[in-house]
Amino acid sequence: MIDVNELRKGVTFEFDGQIWKVLDYSHNKPGRGNATIRTKLRNLKTGATIDRTFQSGERVQDIRLDHHVVEYLYQDGDLYYFMDTETYDQPALSREMLAENVDYLKHGLQVKLTYWQDQPIEIELPARWS
């Protein structure tokens, strides 16, 4: 478990049975009372974004993520197929999971694919594309 005060942009955690990535955050400390942490989160399974405010002292479940280098192969409907460059597995991600990254995919592009519990959840584009 991690304290919500440790949340920063890019941190991924589990909350309410869903996997969330922090897109933006701000720490607000009023004159009296507890601090609040305002976050903008993206659900890594559905692609939906929400604004969520946490009270200082709340805790969320940190998660272990695995990363693999994959190569973009092709699109079939709303699914985008990649090939793991080490195992030759071909995971597919939906358009919602890829979010705005879908506009930058080119045949043969190598990206970092993030897995949680052996399920692909998001890609990270090379620095020159993001």
Side-chain angles (χ1 to χ4, degrees):
M1 299 286 278
I2 59 173
D3 192 281
V4 294
N5 290 314
E6 297 175 31
L7 295 179
R8 300 289 183 264
K9 186 174 181 177
V11 171
T12 306
F13 63 95
E14 184 177 3
F15 183 73
D16 285 343
Q18 298 291 320
I19 304 302
W20 302 95
K21 182 173 187 172
V22 178
L23 301 177
D24 197 15
Y25 78 99
S26 65
H27 187 272
N28 303 307
K29 174 68 174 137
R32 292 185 176 180
N34 287 342
T36 58
I37 294 83
R38 295 179 186 203
T39 59
K40 182 174 185 176
L41 307 172
R42 183 173 81 223
N43 186 314
L44 293 180
K45 290 186 177 182
T46 66
T49 59
I50 63 167
D51 293 320
R52 174 85 160 98
T53 302
F54 295 96
Q55 295 296 319
S56 182
E58 285 186 67
R59 299 178 71 74
V60 293
Q61 181 64 47
D62 56 338
I63 60 174
R64 176 181 163 85
L65 300 173
D66 294 317
H67 304 279
H68 296 267
V69 175
V70 297
E71 184 176 308
Y72 174 62
L73 295 176
Y74 63 94
Q75 172 191 359
D76 185 16
D78 279 347
L79 292 178
Y80 292 78
Y81 289 86
F82 299 84
M83 180 182 65
D84 190 311
T85 57
E86 292 181 14
T87 64
Y88 302 106
D89 289 338
Q90 293 187 7
L93 280 88
S94 68
R95 176 180 285 278
E96 292 81 23
M97 292 172 77
L98 294 172
E100 67 277 353
N101 291 334
V102 74
D103 297 329
Y104 299 100
L105 291 177
K106 303 287 183 214
H107 179 72
L109 178 66
Q110 289 196 346
V111 298
K112 185 173 18 172
L113 179 59
T114 303
Y115 285 86
W116 178 68
Q117 295 183 342
D118 296 327
Q119 296 293 319
I121 56 173
E122 77 170 336
I123 64 166
E124 182 180 322
L125 296 172
R128 69 175 198 265
W129 294 99
S130 54

